[in-house]
Amino acid sequence: MRLFIAIELEDGIIEYIHQKQRILQSCRIRGNFTRKENLHLTLRFLGEIGLNQIMQIKKALEATAAAAAPFSMELGEWGQFPSRRGKILWIGIGKGIEPLKALASDLESNLEKQGFEREKKAFRPHITIGREVQLEDDPERITKKAKIEPREIHVCRISLMESKRINGILTYIPIYRAALGKKG
Ligand code: 3AM
């Protein structure tokens, strides 16, 4: 099964991002926008995992969650990563990015303790909102039109997600959740 670890987003934030997606969609030349149900923030992509490894992943998730306190972070600017076809369109994180990075780094260490190889790529937290996107060539006008306010995101748990196609539709299913502990 194809797995990744993510922060699931609250309904209010999903609605807000979806509004911004609609605006950006109106400025596109081409591209696919993430289904509202699939909006999330990936902490760690795991790839194809056998059932025999699930227990280790759950342990890493539990250890990470237990040692972290719930925290808040804010939505940041939208941006683009280059990709082979078009660009990946995303919304980043503003304030609160430090505890998020610490959480991802702790997760990485705990996965390593459970026998997983360390991720080589640096963690660049983002919420993917579109793929293979080409926007009109006027970033300033688009930024004005799709201004992202620093909406607050509460992070209270981390989730193990399965990525699979159901009737041809890419679907992300939470299969295990670990609540962040309340330190202090
Ligand atoms: O949350 P985002 O969209 O950034 O891009 C995929 C998605 O991330 C990423 O894992 C998340 C759930 O599918 N992903 C898919 N294949 C990947 C790969 N081979 C990958 N990340 C790294 N390497």
Side-chain angles (χ1 to χ4, degrees):
M1 58 213 303
R2 196 175 170 82
L3 300 181
F4 62 102
I5 298 167
I7 290 173
E8 296 178 82
L9 304 170
E10 300 146 289
D11 290 349
I13 290 290
I14 290 185
E15 262 325 309
Y16 182 76
I17 295 175
H18 188 57
Q19 279 173 29
K20 300 296 166 185
Q21 277 183 305
R22 277 203 288 254
I23 299 171
L24 289 163
Q25 218 162 350
S26 72
C27 308
R28 78 169 162 189
I29 293 165
R30 64 187 174 89
N32 308 317
F33 279 69
T34 310
R35 289 195 307 128
K36 202 169 141 182
E37 298 79 358
N38 284 0
L39 291 167
H40 67 274
L41 189 147
T42 299
L43 280 176
R44 172 64 147 82
F45 177 71
L46 294 163
E48 273 314 312
I49 299 284
L51 277 178
N52 57 336
Q53 284 176 292
I54 301 276
M55 210 49 224
Q56 282 96 308
I57 298 171
K58 285 184 178 174
K59 277 186 192 156
L61 228 68
E62 284 296 348
T64 307
F71 64 95
S72 292
M73 58 190 188
E74 290 178 356
L75 277 185
E77 307 281 317
W78 68 272
Q80 305 183 73
F81 290 145
S83 73
R84 261 173 299 160
R85 310 203 298 141
K87 291 195 172 138
I88 292 172
L89 198 60
W90 47 263
I91 296 180
I93 299 299
K95 275 191 200 151
I97 200 165
E98 291 313 324
L100 177 66
K101 284 186 173 171
L103 187 68
S105 158
D106 212 24
L107 177 62
E108 198 59 55
S109 307
N110 286 320
L111 282 168
E112 193 180 23
K113 279 184 205 152
Q114 294 299 328
F116 292 84
E117 226 177 90
R118 287 193 85 87
E119 169 64 68
K120 288 174 193 76
K121 280 191 278 178
F123 177 56
R124 297 182 67 182
H126 63 276
I127 299 161
T128 299
I129 59 171
R131 288 172 198 281
E132 299 184 10
V133 174
Q134 187 187 350
L135 293 176
E136 290 160 5
D137 192 17
D138 192 349
E140 273 174 34
R141 186 184 67 90
I142 298 175
T143 296
K144 258 190 214 155
K145 260 182 94 168
K147 179 145 183 44
I148 317 283
E149 286 141 1
R151 288 287 178 105
E152 199 171 9
I153 302 173
H154 301 107
V155 183
C156 312
R157 63 184 186 193
I158 51 181
S159 310
L160 177 60
M161 311 288 290
E162 180 178 4
S163 163
K164 68 172 173 185
R165 289 200 177 265
I166 300 179
N167 299 327
I169 299 169
L170 180 64
T171 309
Y172 298 146
I173 306 156
I175 57 174
Y176 188 73
R177 292 175 171 138
L180 302 194
K182 292 180 174 67
K183 279 197 303 190

